[in-house]
Coordinates of all heavy atoms in Angstrom, one line a residue:
S2 N -20.4 -37.2 34.7 CA -20.3 -38.6 34.7 C -19.0 -39.1 34.1 O -18.4 -38.4 33.3 CB -21.5 -39.1 33.9 OG -21.2 -39.1 32.5
W3 N -18.6 -40.2 34.5 CA -17.3 -40.8 34.1 C -17.5 -41.9 33.1 O -18.4 -42.7 33.1 CB -16.6 -41.4 35.3 CG -16.0 -40.4 36.2 CD1 -16.6 -39.8 37.3 CD2 -14.6 -40.0 36.2 NE1 -15.7 -38.9 37.9 CE2 -14.5 -39.0 37.2 CE3 -13.6 -40.3 35.4 CZ2 -13.3 -38.4 37.5 CZ3 -12.4 -39.6 35.7 CH2 -12.3 -38.7 36.7
I4 N -16.6 -42.0 32.2 CA -16.5 -43.1 31.3 C -15.1 -43.7 31.5 O -14.1 -43.0 31.6 CB -16.7 -42.8 29.8 CG1 -16.6 -44.0 29.0 CG2 -15.7 -41.8 29.3 CD1 -17.1 -43.8 27.5
R5 N -15.0 -45.0 31.7 CA -13.7 -45.6 31.9 C -12.9 -45.6 30.6 O -13.4 -46.1 29.5 CB -13.8 -47.0 32.4 CG -14.4 -47.1 33.8 CD -14.6 -48.5 34.2 NE -13.4 -49.1 34.8 CZ -13.1 -49.0 36.1 NH1 -13.9 -48.4 37.0 NH2 -12.0 -49.5 36.6
V6 N -11.7 -45.1 30.6 CA -10.8 -45.0 29.4 C -10.7 -46.4 28.9 O -10.7 -46.6 27.7 CB -9.5 -44.4 29.7 CG1 -8.5 -44.5 28.6 CG2 -9.7 -42.9 30.1
S7 N -10.5 -47.4 29.7 CA -10.3 -48.8 29.3 C -11.4 -49.3 28.4 O -11.2 -50.0 27.5 CB -10.1 -49.7 30.5 OG -9.1 -49.2 31.3
S8 N -12.6 -48.9 28.7 CA -13.7 -49.4 27.9 C -13.6 -48.9 26.5 O -14.1 -49.6 25.6 CB -15.1 -48.9 28.5 OG -15.2 -47.5 28.4
T9 N -13.0 -47.8 26.2 CA -12.9 -47.3 24.8 C -11.6 -47.9 24.2 O -11.5 -47.9 23.0 CB -12.8 -45.8 24.8 OG1 -11.6 -45.3 25.5 CG2 -14.0 -45.1 25.4
L10 N -10.7 -48.4 25.0 CA -9.5 -49.0 24.4 C -9.7 -50.5 24.0 O -8.9 -51.0 23.2 CB -8.4 -48.9 25.5 CG -7.9 -47.6 25.9 CD1 -6.9 -47.7 27.0 CD2 -7.4 -46.7 24.8
Y11 N -10.7 -51.2 24.5 CA -10.8 -52.6 24.1 C -11.1 -52.8 22.7 O -11.0 -54.0 22.2 CB -11.8 -53.2 25.1 CG -11.3 -53.4 26.5 CD1 -11.9 -52.9 27.5 CD2 -10.1 -54.2 26.7 CE1 -11.4 -53.1 28.8 CE2 -9.6 -54.3 27.9 CZ -10.3 -53.8 29.0 OH -9.8 -53.9 30.3
S12 N -11.5 -51.8 21.9 CA -11.8 -52.0 20.5 C -10.5 -52.2 19.7 O -10.5 -52.7 18.6 CB -12.6 -50.9 19.9 OG -11.9 -49.7 20.1
A13 N -9.4 -51.7 20.3 CA -8.1 -51.9 19.6 C -7.4 -53.1 20.2 O -7.4 -53.3 21.4 CB -7.3 -50.6 19.8
P14 N -6.7 -53.9 19.4 CA -6.0 -55.0 19.9 C -4.9 -54.6 20.9 O -4.6 -55.3 21.9 CB -5.5 -55.8 18.7 CG -5.5 -54.7 17.6 CD -6.5 -53.7 18.0
S15 N -4.2 -53.5 20.6 CA -3.1 -53.1 21.4 C -2.9 -51.6 21.2 O -3.1 -51.1 20.1 CB -1.8 -53.9 21.0 OG -0.7 -53.4 21.6
I16 N -2.5 -50.9 22.2 CA -2.2 -49.5 22.1 C -0.7 -49.3 22.4 O -0.2 -49.8 23.4 CB -3.0 -48.7 23.2 CG1 -4.5 -48.9 23.0 CG2 -2.6 -47.2 23.1 CD1 -5.1 -48.4 21.8
D17 N 0.0 -48.7 21.5 CA 1.5 -48.5 21.7 C 1.7 -47.3 22.7 O 2.6 -47.5 23.5 CB 2.2 -48.1 20.3 CG 2.2 -49.3 19.4 OD1 2.3 -50.5 19.9 OD2 2.1 -49.1 18.2
L18 N 1.0 -46.2 22.5 CA 1.2 -45.1 23.4 C -0.1 -44.4 23.8 O -0.9 -44.1 22.9 CB 2.1 -44.0 22.8 CG 2.4 -42.7 23.5 CD1 3.1 -43.0 24.8 CD2 3.1 -41.7 22.7
L19 N -0.3 -44.3 25.1 CA -1.5 -43.6 25.6 C -1.1 -42.3 26.3 O -0.3 -42.4 27.3 CB -2.3 -44.5 26.5 CG -3.5 -43.9 27.2 CD1 -4.6 -43.5 26.2 CD2 -4.1 -44.8 28.2
K20 N -1.4 -41.2 25.7 CA -1.0 -39.9 26.3 C -2.2 -39.4 27.2 O -3.3 -39.2 26.7 CB -0.6 -38.9 25.2 CG -0.2 -37.6 25.8 CD 0.3 -36.7 24.7 CE 0.9 -35.4 25.3 NZ 0.2 -34.2 24.8
L21 N -1.9 -39.1 28.4 CA -2.9 -38.5 29.3 C -2.5 -37.1 29.7 O -1.5 -36.9 30.4 CB -3.0 -39.4 30.6 CG -3.3 -40.8 30.5 CD1 -3.3 -41.5 31.8 CD2 -4.7 -41.0 29.8
E22 N -3.2 -36.2 29.2 CA -3.1 -34.8 29.6 C -4.5 -34.3 29.9 O -5.2 -33.7 29.0 CB -2.5 -33.9 28.4 CG -2.2 -32.5 28.8 CD -1.4 -31.8 27.7 OE1 -0.7 -32.4 26.9 OE2 -1.6 -30.6 27.7
I23 N -5.0 -34.6 31.1 CA -6.4 -34.5 31.4 C -6.7 -33.6 32.6 O -7.7 -33.8 33.2 CB -7.0 -35.9 31.5 CG1 -6.2 -36.8 32.5 CG2 -7.2 -36.5 30.2 CD1 -6.7 -38.2 32.6
E24 N -5.8 -32.7 32.9 CA -6.1 -31.6 33.8 C -6.7 -32.0 35.1 O -7.8 -31.5 35.5 CB -7.0 -30.5 33.1 CG -6.6 -30.1 31.7 CD -5.2 -29.4 31.8 OE1 -4.9 -28.7 32.7 OE2 -4.4 -29.6 30.8
G25 N -6.1 -32.8 35.8 CA -6.5 -33.1 37.2 C -7.1 -34.5 37.4 O -7.3 -34.9 38.5
A26 N -7.5 -35.2 36.3 CA -8.1 -36.5 36.5 C -7.1 -37.6 36.3 O -7.5 -38.8 36.3 CB -9.3 -36.6 35.5
E27 N -5.8 -37.3 36.3 CA -4.8 -38.3 36.1 C -4.9 -39.5 37.0 O -4.7 -40.6 36.6 CB -3.4 -37.7 36.2 CG -3.1 -36.5 35.3 CD -3.5 -35.1 35.8 OE1 -4.1 -35.1 37.0 OE2 -3.3 -34.1 35.2
Y28 N -5.0 -39.2 38.3 CA -5.0 -40.2 39.3 C -6.1 -41.2 39.2 O -5.9 -42.4 39.3 CB -4.9 -39.6 40.7 CG -3.8 -38.6 40.9 CD1 -4.0 -37.3 40.9 CD2 -2.5 -39.1 41.0 CE1 -3.0 -36.4 41.0 CE2 -1.4 -38.2 41.2 CZ -1.7 -36.8 41.2 OH -0.7 -35.9 41.3
K29 N -7.3 -40.7 38.9 CA -8.5 -41.6 38.8 C -8.3 -42.4 37.5 O -8.6 -43.6 37.5 CB -9.7 -40.8 38.7 CG -11.0 -41.6 38.7 CD -11.1 -42.4 39.9 CE -12.4 -43.2 39.9 NZ -12.5 -44.2 41.0
V30 N -7.9 -41.8 36.4 CA -7.7 -42.6 35.2 C -6.6 -43.6 35.3 O -6.8 -44.8 34.9 CB -7.5 -41.7 34.0 CG1 -7.1 -42.4 32.7 CG2 -8.7 -40.8 33.7
L31 N -5.5 -43.3 35.9 CA -4.4 -44.3 36.2 C -4.9 -45.4 37.0 O -4.6 -46.6 36.8 CB -3.2 -43.6 36.8 CG -2.4 -42.7 35.9 CD1 -1.3 -42.0 36.7 CD2 -1.8 -43.5 34.7
E32 N -5.7 -45.1 38.0 CA -6.3 -46.1 38.9 C -7.1 -47.1 38.1 O -7.0 -48.3 38.3 CB -7.1 -45.5 40.0 CG -7.8 -46.4 41.0 CD -8.6 -45.6 42.0 OE1 -8.1 -44.7 42.6 OE2 -9.8 -46.0 42.1
T33 N -8.0 -46.6 37.2 CA -8.8 -47.5 36.4 C -8.0 -48.3 35.4 O -8.3 -49.5 35.1 CB -10.0 -46.8 35.7 OG1 -9.4 -45.8 34.8 CG2 -10.9 -46.1 36.7
L34 N -7.0 -47.7 34.9 CA -6.1 -48.4 33.9 C -5.4 -49.6 34.6 O -5.3 -50.7 34.1 CB -5.1 -47.5 33.3 CG -5.6 -46.5 32.2 CD1 -4.5 -45.5 31.9 CD2 -6.1 -47.3 31.0
I35 N -5.0 -49.3 35.8 CA -4.3 -50.4 36.6 C -5.3 -51.5 36.9 O -5.0 -52.7 36.8 CB -3.7 -49.8 37.9 CG1 -2.5 -49.0 37.5 CG2 -3.3 -50.9 38.9 CD1 -1.9 -48.1 38.6
Q36 N -6.5 -51.1 37.3 CA -7.6 -52.2 37.6 C -8.0 -53.0 36.3 O -8.1 -54.2 36.4 CB -8.8 -51.5 38.1 CG -8.6 -50.9 39.5 CD -9.8 -50.0 39.9 OE1 -10.8 -49.8 39.1 NE2 -9.8 -49.5 41.1
D37 N -8.1 -52.3 35.2 CA -8.7 -52.9 34.0 C -7.6 -53.6 33.2 O -7.9 -54.5 32.4 CB -9.4 -51.9 33.2 CG -10.6 -51.3 33.9 OD1 -11.0 -51.9 34.9 OD2 -11.2 -50.3 33.4
R38 N -6.4 -53.2 33.3 CA -5.2 -53.8 32.5 C -5.4 -53.9 31.0 O -5.2 -55.0 30.5 CB -4.9 -55.1 33.1 CG -4.6 -55.2 34.6 CD -3.4 -54.3 34.9 NE -2.2 -54.7 34.3 CZ -1.2 -55.2 34.8 NH1 -1.1 -55.4 36.1 NH2 -0.1 -55.5 34.1
P39 N -5.8 -52.8 30.3 CA -5.8 -52.9 28.9 C -4.4 -53.1 28.3 O -3.4 -52.9 29.0 CB -6.4 -51.5 28.5 CG -6.0 -50.6 29.6 CD -6.0 -51.5 30.8
D40 N -4.3 -53.6 27.1 CA -3.0 -53.8 26.5 C -2.4 -52.5 26.0 O -2.5 -52.1 24.8 CB -3.2 -54.8 25.3 CG -1.8 -55.2 24.8 OD1 -0.8 -54.9 25.4 OD2 -1.8 -55.9 23.7
V41 N -1.8 -51.8 26.9 CA -1.2 -50.5 26.6 C 0.3 -50.6 26.9 O 0.7 -51.0 28.0 CB -1.7 -49.3 27.5 CG1 -1.0 -48.1 27.3 CG2 -3.2 -49.2 27.3
K42 N 1.1 -50.4 25.8 CA 2.6 -50.6 25.9 C 3.3 -49.5 26.7 O 4.2 -49.7 27.5 CB 3.2 -50.6 24.6 CG 2.6 -51.7 23.6 CD 2.8 -53.1 24.2 CE 2.2 -54.1 23.2 NZ 1.4 -55.1 23.8
A43 N 2.8 -48.2 26.5 CA 3.4 -47.1 27.2 C 2.4 -46.0 27.5 O 1.5 -45.8 26.8 CB 4.5 -46.4 26.4
I44 N 2.5 -45.4 28.7 CA 1.6 -44.4 29.1 C 2.4 -43.1 29.4 O 3.4 -43.2 30.2 CB 0.8 -44.8 30.4 CG1 0.1 -46.1 30.2 CG2 -0.1 -43.6 30.8 CD1 -0.5 -46.6 31.5
L45 N 2.0 -42.0 28.8 CA 2.7 -40.7 29.0 C 1.7 -39.9 29.8 O 0.6 -39.6 29.3 CB 3.0 -40.1 27.6 CG 3.5 -38.6 27.7 CD1 4.9 -38.6 28.4 CD2 3.6 -38.1 26.3
V46 N 2.1 -39.5 31.0 CA 1.2 -38.8 31.9 C 1.8 -37.4 32.2 O 3.0 -37.3 32.5 CB 1.0 -39.5 33.2 CG1 0.1 -38.8 34.1 CG2 0.6 -40.9 33.0
E47 N 1.0 -36.4 32.0 CA 1.4 -35.0 32.5 C 0.6 -34.8 33.7 O -0.7 -34.7 33.7 CB 1.0 -34.0 31.4 CG 1.3 -32.6 31.9 CD 0.8 -31.5 31.0 OE1 1.2 -31.5 29.8 OE2 0.1 -30.6 31.4
F48 N 1.3 -34.7 34.9 CA 0.6 -34.4 36.1 C 0.5 -32.8 36.2 O 1.4 -32.1 36.6 CB 1.4 -34.9 37.3 CG 1.4 -36.4 37.4 CD1 2.4 -37.2 36.9 CD2 0.3 -37.0 37.9 CE1 2.4 -38.6 37.0 CE2 0.2 -38.4 38.0 CZ 1.3 -39.2 37.5
D49 N -0.7 -32.4 35.9 CA -0.9 -30.9 35.7 C -0.7 -30.1 37.0 O -0.3 -29.0 36.9 CB -2.4 -30.7 35.2 CG -2.7 -29.3 34.8 OD1 -2.0 -28.8 33.9 OD2 -3.6 -28.7 35.4
E50 N -1.0 -30.7 38.2 CA -0.9 -29.9 39.4 C 0.5 -29.4 39.7 O 0.7 -28.5 40.5 CB -1.5 -30.7 40.5 CG -0.8 -31.9 41.0 CD -1.5 -32.6 42.1 OE1 -2.1 -31.9 43.0 OE2 -1.4 -33.8 42.2
V51 N 1.5 -30.1 39.2 CA 2.9 -29.6 39.4 C 3.1 -28.2 39.1 O 3.8 -27.4 39.8 CB 3.9 -30.5 38.6 CG1 5.3 -29.9 38.7 CG2 3.9 -31.9 39.1
W52 N 2.4 -27.7 38.1 CA 2.6 -26.3 37.6 C 1.6 -25.4 38.2 O 1.7 -24.2 38.1 CB 2.4 -26.3 36.1 CG 3.3 -27.3 35.4 CD1 2.9 -28.4 34.8 CD2 4.7 -27.3 35.4 NE1 4.0 -29.1 34.3 CE2 5.1 -28.4 34.7 CE3 5.7 -26.4 35.9 CZ2 6.5 -28.7 34.5 CZ3 7.0 -26.7 35.7 CH2 7.4 -27.8 35.0
H53 N 0.6 -25.9 38.9 CA -0.5 -25.0 39.4 C -0.6 -24.9 41.0 O -1.3 -24.1 41.5 CB -1.8 -25.4 38.9 CG -1.9 -25.4 37.4 ND1 -1.9 -24.2 36.7 CD2 -1.9 -26.3 36.4 CE1 -1.9 -24.4 35.4 NE2 -1.9 -25.7 35.2
V54 N 0.0 -25.8 41.7 CA -0.1 -25.9 43.1 C 1.1 -25.1 43.7 O 2.3 -25.5 43.4 CB -0.1 -27.3 43.7 CG1 -0.1 -27.4 45.2 CG2 -1.4 -28.0 43.1
K55 N 0.9 -24.2 44.5 CA 1.9 -23.4 45.1 C 1.9 -23.5 46.7 O 0.8 -23.6 47.2 CB 1.8 -21.9 44.8 CG 1.8 -21.6 43.3 CD 3.2 -21.8 42.7 CE 3.2 -21.4 41.2 NZ 3.7 -22.3 40.3
G56 N 3.0 -23.6 47.3 CA 3.1 -23.5 48.7 C 2.9 -24.9 49.5 O 2.9 -24.9 50.7
T57 N 2.8 -25.9 48.7 CA 2.6 -27.2 49.3 C 3.4 -28.3 48.5 O 3.6 -28.1 47.3 CB 1.2 -27.7 49.5 OG1 1.1 -29.0 50.1 CG2 0.4 -27.7 48.2
R58 N 3.8 -29.3 49.1 CA 4.5 -30.4 48.4 C 3.6 -31.7 48.3 O 4.1 -32.7 47.9 CB 5.8 -30.7 49.1 CG 6.7 -29.5 49.0 CD 8.0 -29.8 49.8 NE 8.7 -31.0 49.4 CZ 9.6 -31.2 48.5 NH1 9.9 -30.2 47.7 NH2 10.1 -32.4 48.3
A59 N 2.3 -31.6 48.7 CA 1.5 -32.8 48.8 C 1.4 -33.4 47.4 O 1.3 -34.7 47.3 CB 0.1 -32.4 49.3
H60 N 1.4 -32.7 46.3 CA 1.3 -33.3 45.0 C 2.5 -34.2 44.7 O 2.3 -35.2 43.9 CB 1.2 -32.2 43.9 CG 2.3 -31.2 43.8 ND1 2.5 -30.2 44.7 CD2 3.3 -31.2 42.9 CE1 3.6 -29.6 44.4 NE2 4.1 -30.1 43.3
F61 N 3.7 -33.9 45.2 CA 4.8 -34.8 45.0 C 4.5 -36.2 45.6 O 4.9 -37.2 45.0 CB 6.1 -34.3 45.7 CG 6.6 -33.1 44.9 CD1 6.7 -31.9 45.6 CD2 7.0 -33.2 43.6 CE1 7.2 -30.8 44.9 CE2 7.5 -32.1 42.9 CZ 7.6 -30.9 43.6
F62 N 3.8 -36.3 46.7 CA 3.4 -37.6 47.3 C 2.4 -38.3 46.5 O 2.4 -39.5 46.3 CB 3.0 -37.4 48.7 CG 4.1 -36.9 49.6 CD1 4.0 -35.6 50.1 CD2 5.2 -37.6 50.0 CE1 5.0 -35.0 50.9 CE2 6.2 -37.1 50.8 CZ 6.1 -35.8 51.2
R63 N 1.4 -37.6 45.9 CA 0.4 -38.2 45.0 C 1.1 -38.7 43.8 O 0.7 -39.8 43.3 CB -0.7 -37.1 44.7 CG -1.6 -36.9 45.8 CD -2.8 -36.0 45.4 NE -2.4 -34.6 45.1 CZ -2.3 -33.7 46.0 NH1 -2.6 -33.9 47.3 NH2 -2.0 -32.4 45.6
I64 N 2.0 -38.0 43.2 CA 2.7 -38.4 42.0 C 3.6 -39.7 42.3 O 3.6 -40.6 41.6 CB 3.6 -37.3 41.4 CG1 2.6 -36.2 40.9 CG2 4.5 -37.8 40.3 CD1 3.4 -34.9 40.5
R65 N 4.2 -39.6 43.5 CA 5.0 -40.8 43.9 C 4.2 -42.0 44.0 O 4.5 -43.1 43.6 CB 5.7 -40.4 45.2 CG 6.6 -41.6 45.7 CD 6.9 -41.6 47.2 NE 5.6 -41.6 47.9 CZ 5.4 -41.3 49.2 NH1 6.5 -40.8 49.8 NH2 4.3 -41.4 49.8
D66 N 3.0 -41.9 44.7 CA 2.2 -43.0 44.9 C 1.6 -43.5 43.6 O 1.5 -44.8 43.4 CB 1.0 -42.6 45.9 CG 1.5 -42.3 47.3 OD1 2.7 -42.7 47.6 OD2 0.7 -41.7 48.0
A67 N 1.3 -42.7 42.7 CA 0.8 -43.1 41.4 C 1.9 -43.8 40.6 O 1.6 -44.9 40.0 CB 0.2 -41.9 40.6
S68 N 3.1 -43.3 40.7 CA 4.2 -43.9 40.0 C 4.5 -45.3 40.6 O 4.7 -46.3 39.8 CB 5.5 -43.1 40.1 OG 5.3 -41.8 39.5
R69 N 4.4 -45.4 41.9 CA 4.6 -46.7 42.5 C 3.6 -47.7 42.1 O 3.8 -48.9 41.9 CB 4.7 -46.6 44.0 CG 6.0 -45.9 44.5 CD 6.0 -45.7 46.0 NE 7.3 -45.2 46.4 CZ 7.6 -44.7 47.6 NH1 6.6 -44.8 48.6 NH2 8.7 -44.2 47.9
A70 N 2.3 -47.3 42.1 CA 1.2 -48.1 41.7 C 1.4 -48.7 40.2 O 1.2 -49.8 39.9 CB -0.1 -47.4 41.8
L71 N 1.9 -47.8 39.3 CA 2.2 -48.2 38.0 C 3.3 -49.3 37.9 O 3.2 -50.2 37.2 CB 2.5 -47.0 37.1 CG 1.4 -46.1 36.7 CD1 1.9 -44.8 36.2 CD2 0.4 -46.8 35.8
I72 N 4.3 -49.0 38.7 CA 5.4 -50.0 38.8 C 4.9 -51.4 39.3 O 5.3 -52.4 38.8 CB 6.6 -49.4 39.7 CG1 7.2 -48.3 38.9 CG2 7.6 -50.5 40.0 CD1 8.2 -47.5 39.8
R73 N 4.1 -51.3 40.4 CA 3.6 -52.6 40.9 C 2.7 -53.3 39.9 O 2.6 -54.5 39.9 CB 2.8 -52.3 42.2 CG 3.6 -52.1 43.4 CD 2.8 -52.1 44.7 NE 1.6 -51.2 44.7 CZ 1.7 -49.9 45.0 NH1 2.9 -49.4 45.4 NH2 0.6 -49.1 45.0
A74 N 2.1 -52.6 39.0 CA 1.2 -53.1 38.0 C 2.0 -53.7 36.8 O 1.4 -54.2 35.9 CB 0.2 -52.1 37.5
G75 N 3.3 -53.4 36.8 CA 4.2 -54.0 35.7 C 4.7 -53.0 34.7 O 5.5 -53.4 33.8
W76 N 4.3 -51.7 34.8 CA 4.9 -50.7 33.9 C 6.2 -50.3 34.5 O 6.5 -50.4 35.7 CB 4.0 -49.6 33.7 CG 2.9 -49.8 32.8 CD1 3.0 -49.9 31.4 CD2 1.5 -50.0 33.0 NE1 1.8 -50.1 30.8 CE2 0.8 -50.2 31.8 CE3 0.7 -50.0 34.2 CZ2 -0.5 -50.4 31.7 CZ3 -0.6 -50.2 34.1 CH2 -1.2 -50.4 32.9
R77 N 7.1 -49.8 33.6 CA 8.4 -49.2 34.1 C 8.4 -47.7 33.8 O 7.8 -47.2 32.9 CB 9.5 -49.8 33.3 CG 9.8 -51.3 33.6 CD 10.8 -51.9 32.7 NE 10.1 -51.9 31.3 CZ 10.8 -52.2 30.2 NH1 12.1 -52.4 30.3 NH2 10.2 -52.3 29.1
L78 N 9.0 -47.0 34.7 CA 9.1 -45.5 34.6 C 10.3 -45.1 33.7 O 11.4 -45.6 33.8 CB 9.3 -44.8 35.9 CG 8.2 -44.9 36.9 CD1 8.5 -44.2 38.2 CD2 6.9 -44.4 36.3
A79 N 10.0 -44.3 32.7 CA 11.1 -43.8 31.9 C 11.6 -42.5 32.4 O 12.8 -42.1 32.2 CB 10.6 -43.5 30.4
H80 N 10.8 -41.7 33.2 CA 11.2 -40.5 33.8 C 10.3 -40.3 35.0 O 9.1 -40.5 34.9 CB 11.1 -39.3 32.8 CG 11.6 -38.0 33.4 ND1 10.8 -37.1 34.0 CD2 12.8 -37.5 33.5 CE1 11.5 -36.1 34.4 NE2 12.7 -36.3 34.1
S81 N 10.8 -39.8 36.1 CA 10.0 -39.6 37.2 C 10.3 -38.3 37.9 O 11.4 -37.7 37.6 CB 10.1 -40.7 38.2 OG 11.4 -40.9 38.7

């Protein structure tokens, strides 16, 4: 079962840094953060599949798409 990260963040007035190291659920959590728009100043994401997927480049496109979605939602990339 899923719990939306945003639902746990609303108890804090503002989050300075949200670190996501969640072993494969990054895309779903980022999607819900973009939808829910909690007051998060910076998001640090480790895309785990970069280190575990061999022989394909499909993960680069997923990371690119997630990065673009974050930019469209108003966040800026510090490193891509």
Side-chain angles (χ1 to χ4, degrees):
S2 82
W3 283 87
I4 183 168
R5 292 178 86 91
V6 172
S7 303
S8 67
T9 63
L10 298 178
Y11 286 121
S12 61
S15 172
I16 303 294
D17 291 327
L18 175 65
L19 176 64
K20 182 176 185 237
L21 302 176
E22 187 174 333
I23 48 181
E24 308 300 325
E27 302 89 355
Y28 304 105
K29 185 63 177 170
V30 171
L31 288 174
E32 180 183 309
T33 62
L34 288 171
I35 289 168
Q36 291 170 357
D37 296 348
R38 302 303 298 251
D40 188 8
V41 175
K42 306 297 183 226
I44 303 171
L45 174 65
V46 183
E47 177 186 305
F48 290 99
D49 189 58
E50 69 181 324
V51 170
W52 308 111
H53 301 290
V54 176
K55 303 288 187 231
T57 179
R58 296 177 50 88
H60 61 285
F61 288 118
F62 297 109
R63 286 189 289 275
I64 293 169
R65 180 202 61 198
D66 293 345
S68 298
R69 287 179 178 172
L71 288 167
I72 291 168
R73 282 192 304 275
W76 279 289
R77 292 174 290 170
L78 293 182
H80 184 265
S81 61

